[in-house]
Amino acid sequence: MVRMDAETQQTIDGIGPRLRTLRRDRGLTLEALASTTGISVSTLSRLESGKRRPTLDLLIPLARAHRVALDLLVSAPVTGDPRVHLKPLPKGPGSVLVPLTQYPGRVQVFKQVLAPREPKLVTHDGYEWLYVLAGELRLVLGDQECVLRPGEVAEFDTREPHWFGPAGPTAVEILHLFGPRGDQAVIRTPPSGPGAHGHG
């Protein structure tokens, strides 16, 4: 039997609690996750409590079900490489926000999973750009409304009253770019006429 060093053991010990947190953040029961992954409820329960050793054939379907990278489940040790180590932030039942950038004051990029919720228009300074990865996104902008499908993009000034969320009963997954007003020139809407390209 291979003897593991303390760091490897600590990494393996951390997988169960991380799986439990991810599942709860998404508002999933063990039964729901079992039906999605094909892994039995008892195996999932033992994985989360640390009684079952996490193996790749268990972790790969779980990473796919949670829509996270495999290394996020394993929490590989931080090295000097430039990859961002993603930390999902729960935002209510079934909704998750994953920051993809770590530079305050510049354009911020997030991957977001949004669960169905009631529309509530908000306004704030800034500029937003939304790209749909999976599912359908309903966007309400002032008195306009549209549905975006995977691969479609919306961009708007956030001083306009707005709301976005799933168009149907299932969650939607998006890339969400948010910048202060100073970044507007980078991702602004096309000019409306000849010579209309100033920094308004």
Side-chain angles (χ1 to χ4, degrees), residues 4 8-19 39 43-44 46-60 62 70 73-74:
M4 284 184 289
T8 304
Q9 188 61 54
Q10 191 178 1
T11 300
I12 288 174
D13 288 348
I15 293 173
R18 200 169 294 113
L19 286 170
I39 301 167
T43 300
L44 289 171
R46 288 169 64 214
L47 260 180
E48 290 186 1
S49 61
K51 291 174 185 158
R52 172 73 186 257
R53 182 105 177 238
T55 54
L56 272 181
D57 58 329
L58 294 172
L59 293 179
I60 288 171
L62 284 167
L70 191 61
L73 296 183
V74 179

Side-chain angles (χ1 to χ4, degrees), residues 102-113:
Q102 297 176 338
Y103 292 98
R106 303 191 199 172
V107 173
Q108 300 292 301
V109 185
F110 305 96
K111 180 178 170 183
Q112 249 179 313
V113 177

Side-chain angles (χ1 to χ4, degrees), residues 163-197:
W163 175 89
F164 50 88
T170 55
V172 62
E173 188 173 348
I174 62 171
L175 278 181
H176 180 183
L177 278 71
F178 174 78
R181 300 264 328 145
D183 296 313
Q184 187 180 345
V186 180
I187 48 174
R188 63 182 299 150
T189 50
S192 54
H197 58 267

Side-chain angles (χ1 to χ4, degrees), residues 68-106:
V68 296
L70 191 61
D71 64 352
L72 182 66
L73 296 183
V74 179
S75 184
V78 177
T79 61
D81 72 38
R83 289 173 291 188
V84 177
H85 290 270
L86 308 177
K87 290 187 174 61
L89 309 170
K91 293 286 178 185
S95 296
V96 182
L97 181 72
V98 184
L100 302 180
T101 51
Q102 297 176 338
Y103 292 98
R106 303 191 199 172

